[in-house]
Every structure is written in structure tokens, then in C-alpha cells.
């Protein structure tokens, strides 16, 4: 099973700043099969990025994903108030599909 | 609007059973792998099971193998999760999700509580 470790656990930033969230895998993720999700309190997760760097339908271009192998990054270029939420990475290159523990992005 | 709506959650005693349903609308359900993902209270996300478009292939996380069964009825645009021998650690919000690997559409979830 591939274990995903997200860092930092909590990130405190202000609107307008740049956010960089990391996801490290215990083994190489096949074919960069990695996704990022955003979850707000009481709501279902929303797919942001798949295949490490492809934006999902309707996702603003301030969200970008990068990385390969064991190291992946989600970047939010300029934070908007609605971006403060919990973010999860997920690998689907091998079974079982696994999620990271999440990074909470909070307003500073 | 494209959506997934779960139902069937509730309170059940340890060792009991529950069947979750997910109704899909406004997309061609039979074209997609479908999955269940759960989230224990205050915790992260855990993939539970996935099923191929025609039901011929099913995948499960080890912790539910032999206890949970995923199924679908394409004529009714519905996905199901039969949960038997439930344990306290199965307590979670269960989400229906479109996709077999990454998940591009999610329902709002249904809460399953396993407690005596």
C-alpha cells in the first residue's frame, strides 16, 4: 500500500498570497496517477487536479499541480477567500487507492 | 444538474447490516466506474470500493473484503453498498463518487453510525 504524507498539516496564509502544499509518497506513484481534492466543512470533496497536473472541469487556473515519482505539489497562485479549506492528495496508480491525511489551509 | 444522492445511512448495532444506495442523475451512469469513499468523524478520506461499468469487476479495500459488497443497477441509475458484520470502526460518512480511480463527482454523503 502506498502511504501519502502531506505537509504541512496546517498552513496559515493571507488572501492574495501563494500557497504551496506537498504530498510525498512512500513508493513511486505509477504514471503520475495523483489527484488533489478540496473539502470545505460539511461538504463533499471536490476534484481539483488529476494525473498530477491536469485541472478538472471548472477549476480556476490559479490552481496547479506538479510532480512525479514520490513528490507532488499543489500550488494556489493567489489565494482567494473561498480557497481556505482542507486539501487531500490521492494516488490511484496502485490498489488500494489511498489518500493523504490532509492539509488545512487557514486564514492568517 | 449532474448529481449523486446517497441514502440508507443510520444507526446500527455492531454485527448488524445496512444497505446504502446512490441515485445518479443527468449523466450516463452506465458509462462510468463508480465508487464508495468514506470519512470517519473528524478524519480523512478512505476509499472503500469500486465497480466497473457493467459490474464485471469490483475492487475493495482490505478492511471491508468479505463484509461489504458493491453493486449497481444501470437500468435504475443506482449504485449500492451492502454492509454486513458492521464494526464500530465502520462509523463514517459514506460518499458515492463517480470514477474508479480518481473521483470527479461526489454526493453529499450519508452517515453510518455503528454503536450499541
Amino acid at each position: 500500500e502506498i502511504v501519502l504524507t502531506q505537509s504541512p498539516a496546517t498552513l496559515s496564509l493571507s488572501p492574495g498570497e501563494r500557497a504551496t502544499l506537498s504530498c510525498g509518497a512512500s513508493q513511486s506513484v505509477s504514471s503520475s496517477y495523483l489527484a488533489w481534492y478540496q473539502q470545505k466543512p460539511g461538504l463533499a470533496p471536490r476534484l481539483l487536479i488529476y494525473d498530477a497536473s491536469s485541472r478538472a472541469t471548472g477549476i480556476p487556473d490559479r490552481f496547479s499541480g506538479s510532480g512525479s515519482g514520490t513528490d507532488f505539489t499543489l500550488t494556489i497562485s493567489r489565494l482567494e477567500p473561498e480557497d481556505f479549506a482542507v486539501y487531500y492528495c490521492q494516488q490511484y496508480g496502485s490498489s488500494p487507492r489511498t489518500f493523504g491525511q490532509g492539509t488545512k489551509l487557514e486564514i492568517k | 444538474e449532474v448529481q449523486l444522492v446517497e441514502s440508507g445511512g443510520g444507526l446500527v448495532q455492531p454485527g448488524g447490516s445496512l444497505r446504502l444506495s446512490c441515485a445518479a442523475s443527468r449523466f450516463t451512469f452506465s458509462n462510468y466506474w463508480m465508487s464508495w469513499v468514506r470519512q470517519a468523524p473528524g478524519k480523512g478520506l478512505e476509499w472503500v470500493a469500486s465497480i466497473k461499468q457493467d459490474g464485471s469487476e469490483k475492487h475493495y479495500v482490505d478492511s471491508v473484503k468479505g463484509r461489504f459488497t458493491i453493486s449497481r443497477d444501470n437500468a435504475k441509475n443506482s449504485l449500492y453498498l451492502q454492509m454486513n458484520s458492521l464494526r464500530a470502526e465502520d462509523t463514517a460518512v459514506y460518499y458515492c463518487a463517480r470514477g474508479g480511480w480518481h473521483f470527479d463527482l461526489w454526493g453529499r454523503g450519508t452517515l453510518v453510525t455503528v454503536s450499541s
Side-chain angles (χ1 to χ4, degrees):
Chain A
E1 171 175 326
I2 295 180
V3 176
L4 299 179
T5 302
Q6 293 186 239
S7 61
T10 303
L11 184 58
S12 300
L13 294 170
S14 300
E17 290 192 294
R18 180 185 185 92
T20 302
L21 287 67
S22 297
C23 177
S26 61
Q27 307 168 41
S28 182
V29 176
S30 173
S31 302
S32 295
Y33 285 150
L34 188 113
W36 290 93
Y37 301 85
Q38 176 194 69
Q39 187 177 32
K40 297 180 179 179
L43 298 181
R46 176 173 70 144
L47 176 67
L48 301 174
I49 301 287
Y50 63 96
D51 294 350
S53 60
S54 297
R55 263 189 307 276
T57 303
I59 301 303
D61 60 8
R62 64 179 182 273
F63 291 90
S64 63
S66 63
S68 64
T70 61
D71 295 298
F72 297 87
T73 301
L74 174 69
T75 301
I76 310 172
S77 60
R78 187 177 172 84
L79 285 166
E80 298 288 341
E82 62 267 28
D83 298 337
F84 292 91
V86 178
Y87 291 83
Y88 294 95
C89 59
Q90 179 231 339
Q91 69 82 24
Y92 47 97
S94 65
S95 197
R97 296 73 155 155
T98 51
F99 290 86
Q101 83 282 11
T103 289
K104 182 179 181 181
L105 178 57
E106 64 177 25
I107 299 177
K108 187 173 182 181
Chain B
E1 179 189 358
V2 175
Q3 65 176 356
L4 299 167
V5 179
E6 302 92 337
S7 60
L11 175 63
V12 60
Q13 292 189 338
S17 298
L18 212 54
R19 188 193 195 210
L20 305 183
S21 299
C22 169
S25 57
R26 304 242 189 253
F27 68 94
T28 307
F29 180 75
S30 58
N31 284 355
Y32 292 87
W33 277 77
M34 295 296 296
S35 300
W36 290 96
V37 177
R38 67 185 178 183
Q39 186 169 35
K43 302 297 184 182
L45 300 166
E46 180 183 36
W47 167 76
V48 174
S50 297
I51 186 169
K52 195 176 179 179
Q53 289 91 332
D54 61 0
S56 62
E57 193 172 333
K58 303 176 184 181
H59 304 160
Y60 298 93
V61 69
D62 282 351
S63 60
V64 309
K65 282 180 183 175
R67 300 189 299 123
F68 290 12
T69 302
I70 189 171
S71 63
R72 65 191 296 163
D73 185 336
N74 287 342
K76 294 183 178 179
N77 292 330
S78 293
L79 177 72
Y80 306 101
L81 187 67
Q82 177 66 44
M83 303 186 294
N84 298 330
S85 302
L86 282 161
R87 307 166 180 167
E89 55 265 34
D90 295 319
T91 293
V93 173
Y94 284 73
Y95 294 103
C96 169
R98 187 171 73 179
W101 285 269
H102 66 271
F103 313 113
D104 68 351
L105 178 68
W106 297 63
R108 300 184 70 173
T110 187
L111 176 62
V112 173
T113 303
V114 184
S115 175
S116 55

